[in-house]
Amino acid sequence: QVQLVQSGAEVKKPGSSVKVSCKASGGTFSSYTMNWVRQAPGQGLEWMGGIIPIFGPANYAQKFQGRVTITADKSTNTAYMELSSLRSEDTAVYYCARSVSVFGSGTPMGSYFDFWGQGTLVSVSS
Amino acid sequence: DIQMTQSPSSLSASVGDRVTITCRASQSISTYLNWYQQRPGKAPKLLIYTASTLQSGVPSRFSGSGSGTDFSLTISSLQPEDFATYYCQQSYNTLIFTFGPGTKVDFK
């Protein structure tokens, strides 16, 4: 069974950076996409970006371009999300989630997020 | 980017009720649509993928339908553990995933 275990809660000052880790076990890490999704208090889910470890560079949502960096270490089966220039609006729970591609008769039919980490609360406050 | 909307934003229901939530995409996404359930304080859980395929282990009272721009999630007989928030997600553009704003199902 796949498990994604994230690093612990963080408290950060505005303008600083945070790096959250997500360690995978029980599956093949390198060939799946690892995504990061955040959820501000009382709000919905927001996809930030994702990376396929064997292919390298990550893909990012336009909103976070230039401020987020997603990386993966194949040797430790760990994905990372670093968010810089933090502001109070970045206070949220950050989740990692594995996505799996679906194929029908060899034709791609989309992807879905089948395993999620437990979430990491990042609080930004002066 | 593909935008997702859901209706209603919230609903009140009773145990045993039949509940339907709708999701609309800003452009056709074929059946590249997933549904997730999120209970308070927990990570989302996949219920349905490719619009109508039930994820392994999910009760059969959950069902999904639709294609193109209009989709629905139906719970045939609401159970106490189903009171949660439900999100749709498009995967038509696998470079940019988008979630709907969510539908909260609570006790009437």
Side-chain angles (χ1 to χ4, degrees), chain A residues 66-122:
Chain A
R67 221 165 50 98
V68 68
T69 304
I70 294 173
T71 56
D73 183 340
K74 296 188 295 292
S75 68
T76 60
N77 288 356
T78 303
Y80 299 90
M81 185 284 301
E82 183 170 22
L83 187 62
S84 62
S85 302
L86 289 170
R87 35 210 189 228
S88 58
E89 310 89 88
D90 294 318
T91 294
V93 174
Y94 290 76
Y95 294 101
C96 60
R98 188 184 85 162
S99 60
V100 177
S101 295
V102 184
F103 291 90
S105 302
T107 303
M109 296 180 65
S111 304
Y112 55 82
F113 293 12
D114 59 349
F115 291 100
W116 295 69
Q118 82 276 19
T120 296
L121 175 62
V122 175

Side-chain angles (χ1 to χ4, degrees), chain B residues 83-95:
Chain B
F83 291 94
T85 301
Y86 294 85
Y87 295 92
C88 62
Q89 177 207 33
Q90 67 81 19
S91 67
Y92 181 80
N93 183 343
T94 55
L95 295 180

Side-chain angles (χ1 to χ4, degrees), chain A residues 35 37 39 43-47 59-60 62 95 99 102 108-114 116-118, chain B residues 1 31-32 34 36 38 42-46 49-50 55 87 89 91 94-97 99-101:
Chain A
N35 300 273
V37 176
Q39 186 171 40
Q43 302 302 306
L45 303 170
E46 186 172 33
W47 179 80
N59 194 56
Y60 303 114
Q62 179 98 10
Y95 294 101
S99 60
V102 184
M109 296 180 65
S111 304
Y112 55 82
F113 293 12
D114 59 349
W116 295 69
Q118 82 276 19
Chain B
D1 290 1
T31 57
Y32 293 38
N34 308 316
Y36 299 85
Q38 187 180 32
K42 300 295 186 182
K45 171 188 172 184
L46 176 68
Y49 60 94
T50 57
Q55 170 69 338
Y87 295 92
Q89 177 207 33
S91 67
T94 55
L95 295 180
I96 302 175
F97 295 99
F99 290 92

Side-chain angles (χ1 to χ4, degrees), chain A residues 25-73:
Chain A
S25 62
T28 306
F29 175 75
S30 294
S31 53
Y32 292 97
T33 302
M34 195 61 70
N35 300 273
W36 289 89
V37 176
R38 80 175 187 181
Q39 186 171 40
Q43 302 302 306
L45 303 170
E46 186 172 33
W47 179 80
M48 300 178 69
I51 187 170
I52 306 176
I54 58 168
F55 291 141
N59 194 56
Y60 303 114
Q62 179 98 10
K63 175 177 178 177
F64 299 101
Q65 286 273 6
R67 221 165 50 98
V68 68
T69 304
I70 294 173
T71 56
D73 183 340

